[in-house]
């Protein structure tokens, strides 16, 4: 989706929007990381105030994918920090979307990866290894399934069941 904005995608795909195939996340996310525009196939993760599975997934090769983490919208601690984001950048992840908080913002903002989160928080998460990988999640009013496609820029975030070509 080089040089095509999410707004242009929406304008060109009104039928997909009408059928619910193309969905926009509610505008609740802050923009972090150096890569403000990113896209890729989605890997889903559901956790709550625990970041062990987040770290494990980001240690895998990203191959241009996007990790979407449903952290339950918790604003009580960060479930993503600088070290895993550096690892994600080095492992070829395109981006990370967190329905929750991050920390180490200055470090994350220096990374060539796209990161979206609700806010930043200095407290770290638990390390109990609880959560579920590759399950359907609901983030920012939208149901998201493992394997779908995410497109993000400064206007917002779109979800599609298929890779889009415009």
């Amino acid at each position: 989706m080089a040089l095509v904005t999410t707004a242009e995608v929406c304008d060109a795909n009104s039928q997909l929007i009408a059928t619910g195939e193309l969905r926009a996340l509610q505008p609740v996310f802050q923009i972090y990381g150096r890569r403000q525009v990113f896209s890729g196939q989605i890997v889903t993760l559901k956790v709550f105030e625990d970041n062990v599975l987040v770290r494990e997934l980001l240690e895998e090769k990203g191959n241009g994918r996007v990790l979407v983490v449903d952290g339950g919208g918790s604003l009580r601690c960060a479930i993503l920090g600088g070290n895993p984001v550096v690892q994600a950048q080095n492992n070829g992840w395109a981006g990370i979307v967190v329905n929750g908080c991050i920390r180490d913002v200055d470090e994350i903002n220096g990374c060539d990866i796209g990161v979206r989160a609700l806010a930043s928080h200095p407290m770290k998460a638990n390390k109990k290894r609880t959560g579920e990988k590759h399950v359907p999640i609901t983030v920012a009013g939208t149901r998201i399934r493992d394997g779908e496609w995410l497109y993000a820029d400064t206007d917002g975030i779109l979800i599609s069941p298929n890779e889009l070509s415009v």
Side-chain angles (χ1 to χ4, degrees), residues 105-161:
V105 170
D106 290 340
E107 185 177 6
I108 290 170
N109 283 342
C111 293
D112 184 25
I113 189 169
V115 177
R116 300 293 190 273
L118 297 178
S120 60
H121 199 295
M123 294 178 70
K124 65 181 177 180
N126 296 314
K127 307 258 187 258
K128 296 179 181 173
R129 201 178 189 286
T130 58
E132 298 175 273
K133 299 177 185 179
H134 311 293
V135 294
I137 57 177
T138 301
V139 171
T142 301
R143 190 76 165 159
I144 302 171
R145 290 166 194 80
D146 201 73
E148 291 190 304
W149 290 81
L150 181 144
Y151 300 89
D153 65 12
T154 53
D155 281 337
I157 301 172
L158 299 175
I159 307 294
S160 171

Side-chain angles (χ1 to χ4, degrees), residues 73-89:
S74 174
L75 300 177
R76 300 190 309 187
C77 67
I79 56 174
L80 181 68
N83 289 339
V85 173
V86 168
Q87 181 108 40
Q89 169 195 259

